[in-house]
C-alpha cells in the first residue's frame, strides 16, 4: 500500500496533467475506465496539435484515440474556431470524419457514437446509407471521403480531424490505394489520426506521414490487455506451446510438446498401427487428427467457449457444422434456443418462404439452435449478421469461419482454433504469414469478460511446433503500399491541381517512398548475385567442350516435352467436353476422379447454353450437383440407363436416396478397371525431340563422367540468372516508377480524348472522373460509344455485370450469354476491351482486367423476376450453384455501377432512365431485404 506522501505526489502529478491536457481529463472522466499508457500518450499528442499513428494489437483499444478526436471536434475551442472561407462567411464549427474500410464497420461505429453523443451529432455515409451527412461527426467508408476530396464537396468545410481506422488496409491489393489518396489530398489544416494493427515498419510509415502531413507522433504498443495463451492439440492431448512467458520471448517450444510430436511422427513413419485398408502399402498410415465435433466438445468441457474455429474453405465450414450436428452436439439450453429462434425469426420475416428453402434456412436454423454456425462470404449477408449478433451475445458458442471474419467485425471469442496453417489465396495454397496468424488469434480474449484468451493450433505431421512458435512470437508484419495510378485518379488529379503538380503528388506517395528506399538493397543483391553466377559458371565448366551449349540442348528438350504434355491435356479435355455434350437424362456414367468419383446418373444434360457442358448429376453417394470437363480425365462413357422421374427434385433427401439406390442397383463397379487413370496414347516420339536427343548424345560433354555434377551447377546458374534479371527489372522499374506510369496514363487519355493537348480535362474526362470501378476506362468507353443504349433494364444489368464481376477461380471455358441484344452489347464491350488492352500493352501499362461473363445469366434472370433457385442455378460456377452471399455481393456491385450510369453526364437520357429501372428490378427479394437491413 502506498504512503500518504506517495499518494500526495500522485495527486499532484494528476492535477498537473489535467491542467496541461484539460480535454483529455474531461474525456477520461466520461469513459468510466482508466486509460492505458499508450492511449494516454496518443491522446496527449493529439491535444498538443500533432497528428498521431497508433499501432497496437487487435482488441487493445486503439479506437479510444479515434474517439478522443471526436471529443475534441465536438468540444471545440471558442478561442480557436476553424477560419471562415471569406469575410462574409461566419467561422464554422469543427468537424471530425471517422473512416473505416468496410460498410459493416462503419455501421457498427455509427451506432456506437450515436449511443454516446446522440443522433443529431453523428452522421453516416456509405454506399448504401446517407444519414445526417452535415453532422459535426460523420462515419464513412474511406472511398466516400476520397470521392468528396476529388469533388470538392462542401461537406469538407470545417473539417479538423480525420480518423483512419484500420489504416493497415492500405496494403490491400485492390483497395489500398484509396487510403494513400486520402492521406495525400487532405488539406494541411486537417489533423490525421491513423489507427493500425501492429506493423514492423511503423517508423518507416511514420517517416512518410511526416513528409506528407507534417508532425506525426508514433505510438506503438505490443501489450495485449487480455493475455493470450498458445496451445497445440495433438490427437487427444492439449499442450502449451511455451512453458512460460520467458520461453515465448525466446521462441522456445515446450519440451514435452516437441518430444510428443516427434514420437508421434516417428510412429507414423514406421507405420505402427497400420491397418490393411487402403492405406496399406504406403509408407505409413494416414494421420487422422481429432474430429471437429470432438474439438468443440473438448473446448466446451474445458470452459473455452465461445470459440471461433478457422477453416480456410467455405465448404469446410459448412461440412464442420454438419459433422457436429451428426454427432449430436448441443451447446445451448432450452432458454437460449428459444431466444435464438426469436432473434432469427424477427430478422428473416421479409424473406419469402420459397427463398428460405433455397438458402438452406432450416438446416442453418437447426445449427444455430444448437449453438453452432458457419461464417463465410458465400452466405447471405443477413445470415452472417445474425450469426455475428448471436455470437457476440453468447448464444452461438462455436463458429466455423474463413479468414474473412478476422477483418474488421468486432466479434471476439474466448478461444480461437486454427485447423491448418495453410490457406488458398485464390491462386495457390500458401502458408499463413505472421501478420495473418496474429490477426486471427487476436480474436481470442474478450476485454472485460475473459481473464485470458486461448489460441489452439491443431497438429498434423506437416505442422512443426517450431514454425508455430515463430508465427506466434512474430507479432508484427511489414506494411507494404499497393498504390498505383488509375485512369479515374489521373483525370481527377489533373482536373484538381494540374498535370505537373499531380505528378509531384504521386511522387510523394508511400509507394514511391518505399520504392526509393528499397532500390539500394536490390542493387546490392544484384551485385552479390552477379559474383555468385561467375562462381557457378566456373564450377559448371567442362574440359570436354562447351558445357553451356550442351546444357542449352537439355533445356530445349525439357521445354519441348512440357509443350507436348500441355497439348495432350488440351486434346483430352476436348474429348471430355464432346462426351459430356452427348449425355441424356438417365444416362449412368462413371466420374473417374475428383471429390465426386464413382457412379452417377444424369439429371440435366445442361444443353441450355451455359458455356461448356456441366451436366447436373446425382452420385450413388447421394450428392447432387454439376460436374465439369475438369472432373473427367477420360471421356464420359454411358454404362447404363435408368428412368429418372419426370419432376425429380434433387433438393429432396428422400428422392436423392431412392434414385441413388437405383444407381447402385445397376451392379456396375464403382471405380471400373482403373481408378482415375489417364488414357495412354501410344504415339511415336516427337521428331524435334528425337533430333535434339541425337545432338545431345553426339556432344563432347555427353561423355564427361562429371556431366551431372556440371549440370547441377549450370541449373543453379540458370535459375540465379533468371532471378537476377528480375531484380534488375525491379530496380529499373522502381526508380520514379509512379511518375512514369502516370505519364503513360496521361498520354493514353489524351489520345482517347479524355484530356486535351494542353492538359485540360474534357467533358469525357469529367465523366470518367465520376466512374468509380476497377474497369473505369472501359465503362467510360462503353458510355461514349453507346454500347448499352437501347437495352431493356434486365439486359442492361446483364451487360454491365461483365465489367464488375470476377469469378473466385479461373474457369477455362467462356460463359454463355442471353442471345440477342445482351450478347451483342457484350461482344462490343469485349472488342473495346481488346482495343484498350492493346493500347496499354503498347505503353507498358497494367492491363485492364478482361470482362468476366459469369454473372450475366444470374443477374439477367433476377432482373426479369425469376425465382432465386433458378437464378442461383444459372451461375457459371465450378462447384455447381452460385452461393447466395456471392450473388448478393455481385448484384450490389452491379446496382452500384447502374447508379453511376444513372447519374452520369455521359449517358443518354434514355440510358439513365433504363439504369434506374434496372436498379429497381434488381433491388428485390434478398437484395431489397439486404438494402434495408444494411
Amino acid at each position: 500500500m502506498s504512503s500518504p506522501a506517495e499518494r500526495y505526489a500522485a495527486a499532484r502529478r494528476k492535477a498537473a496533467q489535467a491542467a496541461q491536457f484539460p480535454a483529455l481529463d474531461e474525456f477520461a472522466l466520461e469513459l468510466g475506465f482508466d486509460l492505458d499508457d499508450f492511449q494516454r500518450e496518443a491522446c496527449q499528442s493529439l491535444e498538443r496539435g500533432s497528428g498521431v499513428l497508433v499501432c497496437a494489437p487487435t482488441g487493445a483499444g486503439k479506437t479510444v484515440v479515434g474517439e478522443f478526436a471526436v471529443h475534441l471536434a465536438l468540444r471545440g475551442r471558442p478561442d480557436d474556431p476553424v477560419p471562415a472561407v471569406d469575410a462574409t462567411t461566419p467561422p464554422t464549427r469543427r468537424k471530425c470524419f471517422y473512416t473505416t474500410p468496410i460498410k459493416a464497420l462503419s455501421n457498427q461505429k455509427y451506432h456506437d457514437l450515436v449511443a454516446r453523443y446522440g443522433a443529431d451529432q453523428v452522421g453516416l455515409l456509405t454506399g448504401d446509407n446517407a444519414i445526417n451527412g452535415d453532422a459535426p461527426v460523420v462515419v464513412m467508408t474511406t472511398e466516400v471521403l476520397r470521392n468528396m476530396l476529388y469533388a470538392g464537396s462542401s461537406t469538407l468545410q470545417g473539417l479538423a480531424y480525420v480518423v483512419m481506422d484500420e489504416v493497415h488496409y492500405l496494403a490491400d491489393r485492390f483497395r489500398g490505394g484509396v487510403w494513400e489518396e486520402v492521406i495525400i489530398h487532405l488539406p494541411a489544416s486537417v489533423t490525421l489520426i491513423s489507427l493500425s494493427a501492429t506493423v514492423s515498419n511503423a517508423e518507416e510509415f511514420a517517416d512518410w506521414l511526416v513528409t506528407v502531413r507534417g508532425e506525426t507522433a508514433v505510438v506503438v504498443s505490443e501489450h495485449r490487455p487480455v493475455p493470450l495463451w498458445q496451445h497445440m492439440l495433438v490427437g487427444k492431448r492439449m499442450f502449451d506451446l511455451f512453458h512460460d512467458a520467458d520461453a515465448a520471448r525466446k521462441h522456445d517450444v515446450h519440451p514435452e510438446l516437441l518430444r510428443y510430436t516427434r514420437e508421434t511422427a516417428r510412429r507414423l513413419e514406421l507405420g505402427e498401427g497400420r491397418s490393411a485398408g487402403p492405406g496399406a502399402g504406403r509408407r505409413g498410415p494416414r494421420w487422422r487428427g481429432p474430429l471437429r465435433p470432438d474439438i468443440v466438445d473438448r473446448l466446451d468441457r474445458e470452459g473455452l467457449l465461445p470459440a471461433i474455429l478457422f477453416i480456410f474453405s467455405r465448404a469446410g465450414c459448412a461440412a464442420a457444422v454438419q459433422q457436429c450436428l451428426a454427432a449430436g452436439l448441443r451447446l445451448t439450453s432450452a432458454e437460449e434456443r428459444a431466444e435464438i429462434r426469436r432473434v432469427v425469426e424477427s430478422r428473416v420475416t421479409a424473406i419469402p418462404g420459397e427463398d428460405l428453402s433455397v438458402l438452406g434456412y432450416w438446416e442453418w436454423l437447426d445449427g444455430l439452435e444448437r449453438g453452432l454456425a458457419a461464417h463465410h462470404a458465400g452466405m447471405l449477408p443477413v445470415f452472417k449478421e445474425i450469426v455475428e449478433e448471436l455470437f457476440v451475445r453468447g448464444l452461438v458458442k462455436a463458429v466455423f469461419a474463413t479468414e474473412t471474419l478476422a477483418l474488421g467485425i468486432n466479434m471476439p471469442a474466448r478461444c480461437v482454433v486454427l485447423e491448418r496453417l495453410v490457406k488458398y489465396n485464390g491462386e495457390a495454397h500458401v502458408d499463413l504469414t505472421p501478420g495473418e496468424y496474429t490477426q486471427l488469434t487476436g480474436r481470442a480474449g474478450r476485454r472485460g469478460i475473459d481473464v485470458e484468451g486461448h489460441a489452439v493450433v491443431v497438429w498434423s505431421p506437416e505442422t512443426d511446433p517450431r514454425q508455430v512458435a515463430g508465427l506466434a512470437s512474430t507479432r508484427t508484419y511489414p506494411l507494404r503500399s499497393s498504390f498505383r495510378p488509375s485512369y479515374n485518379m489521373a483525370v481527377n488529379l489533373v482536373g484538381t491541381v494540374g498535370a505537373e503538380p499531380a505528378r509531384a503528388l504521386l511522387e510523394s506517395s508511400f509507394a514511391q517512398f518505399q520504392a526509393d528506399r528499397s532500390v539500394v538493397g536490390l542493387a546490392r543483391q544484384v551485385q552479390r548475385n552477379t559474383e555468385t553466377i561467375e562462381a557457378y559458371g566456373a564450377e559448371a565448366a567442362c574440359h570436354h567442350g562447351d558445357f553451356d551449349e550442351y546444357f542449352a540442348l537439355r533445356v530445349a528438350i525439357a521445354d519441348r516435352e512440357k509443350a507436348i504434355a500441355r497439348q495432350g491435356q488440351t486434346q483430352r479435355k476436348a474429348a471430355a467436353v464432346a462426351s459430356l455434350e452427348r449425355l441424356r437424362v438417365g444416362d449412368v456414367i462413371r466420374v473417374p476422379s475428383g471429390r465426386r468419383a464413382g457412379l452417377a446418373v444424369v439429371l440435366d444434360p445442361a444443353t441450355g447454353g451455359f458455356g461448356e457442358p456441366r451436366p447436373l448429376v446425382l452420385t450413388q453417394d447421394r450428392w447432387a450437383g454439376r460436374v465439369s470437363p475438369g472432373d473427367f480425365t477420360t471421356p464420359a462413357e454411358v454404362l447404363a440407363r435408368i428412368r429418372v422421374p419426370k419432376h425429380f427434385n434433387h433438393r429432396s433427401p428422400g428422392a436423392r436416396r431412392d434414385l441413388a439406390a437405383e444407381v447402385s442397383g445397376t451392379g456396375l463397379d464403382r471405380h471400373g478397371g482403373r481408378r482415375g487413370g489417364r488414357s495412354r496414347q501410344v504415339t511415336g516420339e516427337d521428331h524435334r525431340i528425337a533430333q535434339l536427343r541425337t545432338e545431345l548424345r553426339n556432344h563432347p560433354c555427353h561423355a564427361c563422367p562429371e556431366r551431372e555434377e556440371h549440370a547441377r551447377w549450370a541449373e543453379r546458374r540458370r535459375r540465379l540468372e533468371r532471378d537476377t534479371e528480375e531484380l534488375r527489372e525491379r530496380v529499373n522499374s522502381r526508380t520514379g516508377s509512379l511518375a512514369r506510369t502516370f505519364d503513360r496514363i496521361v498520354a493514353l487519355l489524351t489520345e482517347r480524348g479524355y484530356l486535351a493537348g494542353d492538359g485540360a480535362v474534357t467533358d469525357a474526362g469529367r465523366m470518367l472522373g465520376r466512374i468509380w470501378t476497377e474497369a473505369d476506362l472501359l465503362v467510360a468507353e462503353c458510355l461514349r460509344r453507346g454500347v448499352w443504349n437501347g437495352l431493356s433494364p434486365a439486359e442492361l444489368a446483364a451487360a454491365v455485370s461483365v465489367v464488375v464481376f470476377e469469378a473466385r477461380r479461373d474457369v477455362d471455358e467462356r460463359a454463355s450469354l442471353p442471345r440477342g441484344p445482351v450478347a451483342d452489347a457484350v461482344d462490343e464491350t469485349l472488342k473495346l476491351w481488346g482495343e484498350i488492352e492493346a493500347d496499354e500493352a503498347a505503353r507498358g501499362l497494367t492491363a485492364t482486367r478482361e470482362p468476366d461473363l459469369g454473372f450475366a445469366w444470374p443477374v439477367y434472370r433476377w432482373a426479369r423476376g425469376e425465382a432465386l433457385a433458378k437464378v442461383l442455378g444459372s451461375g457459371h460456377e465450378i462447384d455447381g450453384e452460385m452461393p447466395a452471399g456471392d450473388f448478393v455481393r455481385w448484384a450490389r456491385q452491379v446496382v452500384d455501377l447502374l447508379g453511376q450510369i444513372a447519374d452520369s453526364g455521359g449517358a443518354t437520357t434514355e440510358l439513365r432512365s433504363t439504369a434506374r429501372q434496372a436498379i429497381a428490378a434488381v433491388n428485390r427479394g434478398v437484395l431489397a431485404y439486404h438494402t434495408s437491413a444494411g
Side-chain angles (χ1 to χ4, degrees), residues 724-735:
T724 306
E725 191 52 42
E726 285 178 10
L727 285 176
R728 285 198 181 97
E729 286 175 9
R730 281 161 67 188
V731 168
N732 294 335
S733 66
R734 288 187 181 188
T735 312

Side-chain angles (χ1 to χ4, degrees), residues 295-478:
I295 294 174
V296 175
D297 186 48
R298 175 170 192 148
L299 296 176
D300 187 25
R301 282 186 281 110
E302 297 194 8
L304 293 179
L305 296 181
I308 300 170
L309 298 93
F310 284 108
I311 298 172
F312 302 120
S313 141
R314 295 178 179 187
C317 292
V321 174
Q322 290 305 314
Q323 289 156 14
C324 291
L325 294 179
L329 216 55
R330 191 182 292 281
L331 306 171
T332 51
S333 65
E335 294 78 16
E336 287 173 326
R337 287 194 292 279
E339 177 61 10
I340 288 167
R341 184 173 277 269
R342 188 196 65 74
V343 170
V344 173
E345 288 178 348
S346 70
R347 296 288 300 274
V348 301
T349 48
I351 302 178
E354 63 269 21
D355 286 357
L356 288 176
S357 298
V358 173
L359 297 166
Y361 169 77
W362 299 108
E363 296 90 337
W364 174 69
L365 179 59
D366 185 26
L368 288 177
E369 288 186 336
R370 297 201 203 182
L372 302 157
H375 186 290
H376 57 75
M379 291 169 63
L380 193 69
V382 68
F383 281 19
K384 279 197 302 179
E385 290 162 14
I386 292 168
V387 170
E388 290 160 12
E389 179 185 338
L390 294 175
F391 188 79
V392 170
R393 289 181 57 184
L395 294 169
V396 165
K397 320 288 184 179
V399 167
F400 297 94
T402 56
E403 79 275 16
T404 51
L405 179 59
L407 303 174
I409 299 299
N410 181 26
M411 199 170 151
R414 181 167 294 162
C415 179
V416 162
V417 178
L418 298 183
E419 195 173 74
R420 299 177 68 207
L421 296 177
V422 174
K423 67 167 190 172
Y424 186 73
N425 67 359
E427 295 169 359
H429 286 90
V430 295
D431 291 336
L432 284 185
T433 64
E436 288 167 335
Y437 183 89
T438 303
Q439 193 90 15
L440 295 166
T441 56
R443 292 271 167 204
R446 297 163 297 174
R447 191 168 190 172
I449 301 173
D450 299 323
V451 177
E452 57 196 24
H454 298 267
V456 179
V457 174
V458 180
W459 182 83
S460 69
E462 299 80 39
T463 310
D464 184 346
R466 287 167 299 190
Q467 177 200 2
V468 181
L471 289 171
S473 307
T474 310
R475 292 252 179 260
T476 58
Y477 56 103

Side-chain angles (χ1 to χ4, degrees), residues 67 105 107-117 410:
E67 287 163 9
L105 259 183
N107 292 338
Q108 202 171 61
K109 181 52 66 178
Y110 167 72
H111 291 303
D112 290 349
L113 292 175
V114 164
R116 185 162 177 178
Y117 296 110
N410 181 26

Side-chain angles (χ1 to χ4, degrees), residues 869-886:
K870 197 169 183 182
V871 168
L872 298 181
S874 63
H876 191 60
E877 298 287 305
I878 293 175
D879 298 325
E881 292 188 350
M882 170 172 270
D886 289 345

